[in-house]
Amino acid sequence: MNEPIAFNTKDVMEKIIKVRGMDVLLDRDVAELYGVETKRVNEALKNNPEKFPEGYVLTLHDDETCKLVENFDRFDKMKHSGVNPHAFTERGLYMLATILKSKRATTTTLAIIDSFVKLREISRNIMALHEEQNQERQKSLVQRIGELMNDLLVEDGGTTQTESTIELNLMAVKFKHTVKRTKKKPEC
C-alpha cells in the first residue's frame, strides 16, 4: 500500500459519500488515498482528540454502516467488522493532514481540498442559477457548473469541449451535462 500513487480530484470524488447530510470520506478511503493502513488513520484520531472536535469526525451508527454495506460494494468487508467506521468531514480531513505527513499525504490532501472547493462552487452556482433572472448570466453559470463537473468527474482523455444545457421546470432545476470527446491532434 506504500507505492507512490498520484491521486486527482476524480479519485477523491469517487470516494466522497453523504452521511447525515455532510460530504465525508470514510477512514478506510482516507487510508487508501494516503497510502497507509486504516488503523494508522484511526490512531492519529485517537492520539490527537483535541484536533478533532465535534463536526470534524463522525462515528457511524450501526444502521448507517448497514446502509453503506447495502448500497456500496466497496464497503462489503465492513459487514464483518465489529467497529463502525469514522467519517471525516472536510475540516477533519484538513486536521488529519497536519498529522499524516508524507509526500503522498500532501499530494492527496491537495486533491481533497480541490475536490471540496469545487463541490462548494458547484453548489453556490446552482443556488445562484435558481435565483438568476438574466439569461446570459444563467448561461454563464451553467457553463461554469459544467466545467467544474468535468474537472471533478472526467479524466482528461482528449476532451476538447463540453456542452451544458438547463431546463427550469416549476421551481425545480434540471441540469444536463454532456462531455464530447474528440481525439486531440498530435502536436508536431
Side-chain angles (χ1 to χ4, degrees), residues 29-85:
D29 291 333
V30 173
E32 180 185 339
L33 290 168
Y34 279 28
V36 297
E37 295 176 8
T38 304
K39 69 180 180 180
R40 298 293 172 232
V41 171
N42 289 318
E43 282 173 0
L45 178 62
K46 181 181 174 185
N47 295 334
N48 299 278
E50 71 284 355
K51 290 192 174 194
F52 299 97
E54 186 175 332
Y56 282 56
V57 178
L58 311 169
T59 301
L60 273 59
H61 300 123
D62 290 341
D63 61 323
E64 292 169 324
T65 302
C66 288
K67 283 181 185 177
L68 288 177
V69 170
E70 289 172 8
N71 293 315
F72 296 95
D73 290 340
R74 66 188 172 106
F75 297 137
D76 193 48
K77 290 181 183 177
M78 288 188 334
K79 70 180 167 188
H80 302 296
S81 175
V83 178
N84 287 332

Side-chain angles (χ1 to χ4, degrees), residues 140-178:
S140 175
L141 287 168
V142 168
Q143 182 62 34
R144 181 62 184 149
I145 293 167
E147 290 168 1
L148 290 165
M149 290 180 69
N150 190 52
D151 288 349
L152 288 172
L153 303 174
V154 180
E155 291 182 42
D156 188 21
T159 302
T160 57
Q161 73 182 110
T162 63
E163 175 183 302
S164 301
T165 58
I166 183 171
E167 287 181 40
L168 296 175
N169 185 6
L170 301 174
M171 302 298 290
V173 176
K174 293 182 180 180
F175 181 77
K176 176 183 175 186
H177 179 70
T178 306

Side-chain angles (χ1 to χ4, degrees), residues 17-24 26 58-60 64 68 87 89:
I17 59 171
K18 278 244 191 252
V19 173
R20 300 179 203 163
M22 293 181 273
D23 292 320
V24 297
L26 292 188
L58 311 169
T59 301
L60 273 59
E64 292 169 324
L68 288 177
T89 64

